[in-house]
């Protein structure tokens, strides 16, 4: 019996108008939207189907290329992906592709269909987008597939790769460090942006074909050698980035100092009754932290950012929503110290004003503190949300090469330097950082692993 | 120049403008028509009164289906048409007539035609005509064209009468002898020779013709339930199609009537009027008044503001002083057949690079539906190959930006290049 599917009862306005919005699509020749979806969804086709009233066809088009189609319909930063070069923008406004995607799948689920990625009779020819070019790959030699593949990490990259390999005929075992699957979807993205019931039922469906070992971390006690000994012929590493960057400033030991993940994945801070907080950093995680704080009753939430709006990395929509929710933004300022009270609790944060300096080696403008200009904000809590790095030590200990920034080095097939070991998702670097890109990497890795194992098998014969 | 005069004389009545409610739900009872009058409609043809409405049973439910454009009927946002079955007045004939009489007494300056529908039976027609006359109507319209079977036992009335010149003439004669009011005849497009039907009505003594009534149609099928629309306990039947979708057919019918030299009757047009442009077109083709149903059903009586102001602005711009002047004004420009048109005009498409947004729709249309004359480049620019372009006009129809594609004479273009 398929797992039950959960759907929110209320429908946001953007979804109610879906058919009108779909009718607005221009049905472009060589549609730019298709080049903007990393997972290779044939966007123009699903919108055309929707505009003609074919909801189940639209859902099929989406899910044949993206098993996380519904989740992406909630949280994809489409403005910088499929919607970025949408031709309708030249008529004033891009098509709201993300909402159409969510609408098509939700309607199809309401009509009783499960995830089409899993229910279609065989794996569809997969569309892979690499640097804006759409490539089609129909796996060959599927009948002969056999063997065991290890997948490390149950985020969108790991789950997608595992699902495709299972559909290609491999046995897949997945190891997940925590007791929950889903990676950042379950530990990070707040429920006011992605409904938890929808997420839970979606993950349950997607995990159902896989063997998953929970609370088992890859690293010391489970290394590449152990996996090989267990019969794994290939490995896909998709452990994401979870090491939080923390600045070295006086006062970090005070009570009330925490990190983004402590706010996003833990509950204990909620009972502290804090009324004011400073969030250091202005990326997407910082926006989620700031909104989570407001949602739990923190009245004054300050976001502190070293640079100007031009350098902001958070998506416009996330920032706009944080702004609308009442978050106070301070730009061009750099925390230099935290002050505590007699009980060892944070009392305030001291910031220096910054000014733009010369371009640094990566072409980004540098910012330095300006002498004599500083200010102090009274706050009871300080949260560092300055981005994430990978757990490079444990990777390097397995002989896997990482670059200067700690990301795993891979070639275009997502193969690492170690034979039979592939990597993808947040783990492999800059320009990643989205669920849909993790899905795309999972697809690409699965097809590469299939090719690798087919080649190995031929050589063995 | 003074404000254009929108008045027009129709069936001997001075209408304040040419816009009337057509016989349908929008003119079902006095209170509704009164609201329309106050908003500026010049008159109304009432919903057809028939003796069958005294039957105690209910009308069918649902009785409407939307006809979608480019999508399924339920989901397509743009409804190109409306299909209806079995819409009748849910009130006795007596009450209905009393209601119309009260309305007319309150609005003596508005034109009120009472529409009648009956079987091919002299007694029924004359009885109804007597009631309409007593109610104080300005005219009687005979619905000889309803595609819906009415009357007991499904013995079809209006529809079948309107298919046959002889029966049309006979019904008009019966009614003529029972009233002193001018008689209008509402025609159906489902006939081989519409002018012959019009002539029969003229011989019977009619004063005016209204064209057209709804067209017979099947409203589509719900693929979830495999039942046709509008679904009534899993079943459905043919319905009457109205709205934008039927406008070109209504205009063709009007042209057939206006183009018949021996036909002298005044013409009223109906079928797919959605805006002032549509209405003005009907006037230019030869109608003196224009009747509307479906667009009112979709957006309300407020449509009259667009019709009235749009007509006034048009008349001012083209220096028409009275509506009479524009009735039939473009008739000399309609050839009797495309064979009579000149082949000297040869055009070529020209794309304005500034306006073009690079969607490539024109390219696809020309490639798969015309002459492969448009190039679509990887940088999303388009170019017309002047050698291959046949000037057919398809590309402009597909372009989302008005004026991005223009047509110029072909010679101009090839000059010097030969
Ligand atoms: C706060 C926040 C908000 C975000 N919002 C969005 C958004 O709105 N839209 C969007 O598209 N993206 C968003 N992202 C980014 C997105 O969630 C990630 O890009 C995506 O989840 C990466 O997928 P992944 O599979 O590579 O890694 P992850 O999702 O990080 O999954 C990695 C998994 O591996 C497990 N793991 C780690 N180490 C080990 C180990 N040693 N052994 C075994 N398992 C291990 C982890 O527990 C985890 O389950 C957000 C991220 C954050 C932090
Ligand atoms: C629901 C409905 C009921 C109608 N009933 C009548 C009628 O009783 N008598 C009649 O002569 N025409 C009737 N018509 C036809 C209209 O008067 C009109 O001729 C036709 O709808 C075309 O005009 P339109 O496109 O503006 O709707 C009806 C139309 C509709 C939509
Ligand atoms: S680019 Fe925009 S308008 Fe063109 S097909 Fe894609 S969604 Fe439609
Ligand atoms: S006018 Fe016809 S032939 Fe010429 S470019 Fe347009 S579609 Fe092609
Ligand atoms: S259809 Fe119009 S806007 Fe689109 S490419 Fe052609 S000329 Fe340009």
């Amino acid at each position: 019996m398929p797992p039950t599917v959960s759907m929110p009862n209320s429908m946001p306005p953007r979804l109610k108008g879906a058919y009108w919005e779909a009718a607005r699509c221009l049905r472009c020749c060589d549609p730019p939207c298709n080049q903007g979806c990393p997972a290779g969804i044939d966007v123009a086709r699903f919108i055309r189907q929707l505009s003609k009233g074919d909801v189940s066809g639209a859902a099929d088009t989406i899910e044949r290329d993206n098993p996380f189609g519904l989740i992406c319909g909630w949280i994809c930063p489409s403005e910088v992906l499929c919607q970025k070069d949408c031709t309708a923008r030249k008529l004033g406004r891009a098509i709201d592709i993300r909402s159409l995607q969510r609408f098509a799948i939700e309607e199809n689920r309401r009509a009783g269909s499960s995830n089409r990625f899993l229910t279609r009779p065989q794996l569809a020819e997969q569309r892979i987008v690499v640097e804006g070019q759409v490539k089609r790959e129909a796996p060959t030699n599927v009948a002969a597939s056999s063997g065991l593949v290890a997948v490390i990490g149950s985020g969108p990259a790991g789950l997608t790769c595992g699902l495709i390999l299972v559909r290609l005929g491999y046995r897949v075992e997945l190891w997940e460090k925590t007791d929950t699957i889903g990676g950042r979807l379950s530990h990070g993205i707040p429920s006011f942006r992605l409904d938890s019931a929808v997420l839970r039922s979606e993950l349950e469906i997607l995990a159902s074909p896989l063997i998953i070992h929970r609370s088992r971390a890859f690293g010391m006690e489970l290394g590449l050698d152990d996996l090989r000994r267990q019969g794994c012929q290939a490995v896909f590493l998709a452990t994401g980035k979870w090491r939080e960057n923390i600045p070295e400033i006086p006062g970090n030991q005070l009570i009330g100092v925490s990190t983004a993940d402590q706010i996003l994945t833990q509950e204990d801070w909620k009972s502290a009754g804090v009324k004011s907080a400073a969030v250091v950093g202005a990326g997407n995680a910082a926006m989620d932290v700031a909104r989570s704080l407001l949602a739990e009753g923190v009245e004054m939430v300050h976001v502190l950012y070293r640079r100007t709006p031009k350098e902001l990395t958070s998506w416009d929509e996330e920032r706009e929503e944080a702004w609308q929710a009442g978050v106070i933004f301070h730009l061009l300022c750099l925390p230099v110290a935290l002050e505590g009270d007699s009980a060892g609790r944070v009392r305030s944060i001291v910031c220096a004003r910054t000014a733009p300096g010369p371009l640094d080696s990566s072409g980004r403008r540098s910012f330095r503190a300006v002498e004599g200009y500083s200010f102090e904000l009274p706050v009871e809590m300080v949260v560092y949300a300055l981005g994430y790095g990978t757990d490079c030590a444990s990777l390097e200990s397995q002989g896997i090469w990482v670059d200067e920034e700690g990301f795993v080095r891979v070639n275009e097939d997502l193969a690492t330097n170690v034979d039979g070991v592939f990597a993808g998702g947040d783990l492999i670097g800059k320009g990643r950082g989205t669920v849909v890109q993790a899905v795309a990497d999972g697809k690409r890795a699965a097809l590469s692993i299939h090719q690798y194992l087919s080649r190995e098998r031929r050589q063995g014969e | 120049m003074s404000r254009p005069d929108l008045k027009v004389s129709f069936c001997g009545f001075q209408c304040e403008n040419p816009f009337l409610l057509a016989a349908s739900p929008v003119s079902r009872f006095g209170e509704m028509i009164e609201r329309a009058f106050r908003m500026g409609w010049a008159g109304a043809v009432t919903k057809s009164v028939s003796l069958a409405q005294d039957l105690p049973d209910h009308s069918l439910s649902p009785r409407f289906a939307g006809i979608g454009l480019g999508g399924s009927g339920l989901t397509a946002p743009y409804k190109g048409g409306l299909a209806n079955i079995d819409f009748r007045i849910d009130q006795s004939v007596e009450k209905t007539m009393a209601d119309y009489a009260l309305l007319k007494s309150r609005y003596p300056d508005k034109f009120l035609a009472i529409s009648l529908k009956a079987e091919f039976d002299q007694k029924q027609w004359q009885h109804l005509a007597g009631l309409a006359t007593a109610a104080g109507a300005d005219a009687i319209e005979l619905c000889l064209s309803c595609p819906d079977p009415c009357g007991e036992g499904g013995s079809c009335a209006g529809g079948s009468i309107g298919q046959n010149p002889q029966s049309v003439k006979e019904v008009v004669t019966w009614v003529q002898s029972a009233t002193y009011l001018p008689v209008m005849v509402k025609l159906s497009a489902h006939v081989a020779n519409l002018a012959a039907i019009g002539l029969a009505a003229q011989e019977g003594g009619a004063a005016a013709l209204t064209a057209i009534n709804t067209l017979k149609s099947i409203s589509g099928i719900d693929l979830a339930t495999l039942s046709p629309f509008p679904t009534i306990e899993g079943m459905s039947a043919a319905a009457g199609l109205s709205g934008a979708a039927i406008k070109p057919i209504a205009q063709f019918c009007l042209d057939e009537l206006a183009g018949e030299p021996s036909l002298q009757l005044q013409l009223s047009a109906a079928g797919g009027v959605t805006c002032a442009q549509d209405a003005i077109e009907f006037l230019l083709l030869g109608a003196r008044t224009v009747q509307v149903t479906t667009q009112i059903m979709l957006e309300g009586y407020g449509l009259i503001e667009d019709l009235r102001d749009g007509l006034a602005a048009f008349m001012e711009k083209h220096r028409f002083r009275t509506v009479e002047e524009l009735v039939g004004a473009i008739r000399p420009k309609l050839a009797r057949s495309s064979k009579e048109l000149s082949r000297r005009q040869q055009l070529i498409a020209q794309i304005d690079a500034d306006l073009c947004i690079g969607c490539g729709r024109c390219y696809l249309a020309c490639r798969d539906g015309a002459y492969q004359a448009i190039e679509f480049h990887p940088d999303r620019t388009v170019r017309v190959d002047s050698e291959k372009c046949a000037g057919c006009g398809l590309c402009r129809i597909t372009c989302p930006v008005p004026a991005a594609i223009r047509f110029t004479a072909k010679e101009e273009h090839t000059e010097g290049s030969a």
Side-chain angles (χ1 to χ4, degrees), chain A residues 21-22 24-34 43-45 47-48 82-83 85-89 91 93-97 100, chain B residues 357-359 380:
Chain A
E21 184 66 3
R24 211 165 59 78
C25 165
L26 296 164
R27 303 184 185 172
C28 301
C29 175
D30 192 8
C33 49
N34 282 11
V43 175
R45 170 128 201 265
I47 297 178
R48 193 169 74 228
C82 54
Q83 288 168 213
D85 293 322
C86 168
T87 315
R89 195 183 286 287
L91 296 178
R93 195 160 44 85
I95 302 298
D96 185 359
I97 298 171
L100 295 184
Chain B
I357 59 165
C359 66
R380 310 198 71 80

Side-chain angles (χ1 to χ4, degrees), chain A residues 246-270:
Chain A
I246 293 169
E248 298 287 326
I249 61 172
N252 276 349
Q253 79 293 345
L254 292 166
I255 301 170
V257 179
S258 61
T259 63
D261 279 354
Q262 283 167 337
I263 301 299
L264 294 171
T265 67
Q266 292 166 20
E267 305 284 318
D268 43 354
W269 61 273
K270 294 182 182 171

Side-chain angles (χ1 to χ4, degrees), chain B residues 149-269:
Chain B
C150 58
E152 294 102 299
S155 74
C156 187
S160 64
I161 302 175
Q163 315 248 300
N164 178 345
Q166 197 48 45
S167 51
V168 168
K169 184 178 164 188
E170 219 159 327
V171 172
V172 177
T173 318
W174 294 337
V175 171
Q176 220 18 81
S177 64
T179 183
Y180 55 86
L181 295 177
V183 174
M184 303 160 64
V185 177
K186 178 93 169 257
L187 303 176
S188 159
H190 291 290
V191 295
N193 184 348
L194 189 62
I197 304 283
L199 287 170
Q202 179 170 278
E203 282 167 35
L209 301 174
T210 301
I212 57 176
N213 209 313
T214 57
L215 296 174
K216 293 184 190 180
S217 64
I218 297 288
S219 317
I221 296 162
D222 186 340
L223 295 190
T225 60
L226 296 190
S227 291
F229 294 119
T231 310
I232 293 153
E233 292 184 349
M235 310 268 294
S236 198
L241 179 65
S242 60
I246 73 168
K247 186 189 105 172
I249 298 167
Q251 295 199 334
F252 174 77
C253 291
L254 186 66
D255 179 47
E256 272 193 298
L257 297 171
E260 170 56 55
S262 16
L263 196 60
Q264 309 298 328
L265 303 184
Q266 293 188 336
L267 301 176
S268 186

Side-chain angles (χ1 to χ4, degrees), chain B residues 21-26 45-49 63-64 82-88 115-117 141-147 186-187 210-215 240-247 250 269-274 291-297:
Chain B
L21 308 181
S24 66
V26 304
V45 182
T46 69
K47 170 72 195 162
S48 301
V49 178
R63 59 206 75 153
F64 300 129
L82 178 86
N84 84 87
I85 37 176
D86 189 50
F87 190 97
R88 49 184 156 147
S115 170
L116 307 175
K117 186 157 80 169
E141 185 176 274
L142 310 182
C143 175
L144 303 186
S145 46
C146 176
K186 178 93 169 257
L187 303 176
T210 301
I212 57 176
N213 209 313
T214 57
L215 296 174
L241 179 65
S242 60
I246 73 168
K247 186 189 105 172
V273 172
T274 65
Q291 305 183 16
V292 188
T293 289
T294 303
Q295 196 62 21
I296 299 175
M297 290 177 74

Side-chain angles (χ1 to χ4, degrees), chain A residues 62 133 143 148 152 282 329 338 344 351 380 432 434 437 453 459:
Chain A
I62 296 163
Q133 295 305 309
L148 177 64
I152 312 298
F329 286 81
L338 310 181
C351 301
E380 298 158 80
R432 288 286 184 289
T434 59
Q437 183 60 55
L453 291 178
Q459 281 166 4

Side-chain angles (χ1 to χ4, degrees), chain B residues 8 18 251 254-255 257-260 265-269 278-290 311 314-315 320 322-336:
Chain B
V8 66
Q251 295 199 334
L254 186 66
D255 179 47
L257 297 171
E260 170 56 55
L265 303 184
Q266 293 188 336
L267 301 176
S268 186
D278 294 341
I280 294 165
E281 288 172 10
F282 277 110
L283 296 172
L284 291 170
L285 282 168
R288 298 180 77 81
T289 53
V290 176
L311 174 61
F314 166 82
M315 288 173 66
F320 286 106
T322 63
V323 173
E324 315 267 344
E325 278 178 21
L326 102 174
V327 172
I330 65 97
R331 295 219 49 79
K333 295 191 184 175
L334 267 178
R336 286 331 289 168

